[in-house]
Amino acid sequence: METGTYISIAGHALLIGWAFFGIHRNPDPLPFEVQSVSVVTGAEFETILAAQRPPEVAAQPAALTPPPETTATPDPAPQLETTPQATPVT
């Protein structure tokens, strides 16, 4: 046999040996958290879901009415009188 075959056999033997014998090396189980669970009826579940749903919106919004037109004219802007100012010469 070739050298590569011996290396492969040794590697596989080590892997299988570690998988078979190494599993029982640490008998302590991993820590885990437990969460309490409660059972609800279908009606209670629907009530919970209804409280979380957004309110339903009407398919067609109400028609908008235009604001009433006014006949009063707005006050004109006050006219400001401007006088040219002389600039001093220095």
Side-chain angles (χ1 to χ4, degrees):
M1 291 211 269
E2 295 182 21
T3 308
T5 306
Y6 291 122
I7 293 173
S8 177
I9 290 171
H12 281 89
L14 286 173
L15 181 66
I16 292 171
W18 174 77
F20 187 71
F21 296 110
I23 291 174
H24 304 291
R25 198 162 177 87
N26 188 8
D28 296 333
L30 296 174
F32 60 92
E33 295 181 21
V34 176
Q35 190 172 19
S36 64
V37 177
S38 62
V39 178
V40 295
T41 63
E44 291 173 339
F45 183 69
E46 288 297 324
T47 305
I48 293 169
L49 287 181
Q52 294 178 352
R53 289 187 191 131
E56 293 188 19
V57 180
Q60 293 292 330
L64 298 175
T65 58
E69 293 190 27
T70 58
T71 56
T73 58
D75 293 334
Q79 298 291 330
L80 298 177
E81 293 184 24
T82 58
T83 57
Q85 295 180 355
T87 54
V89 179
T90 55

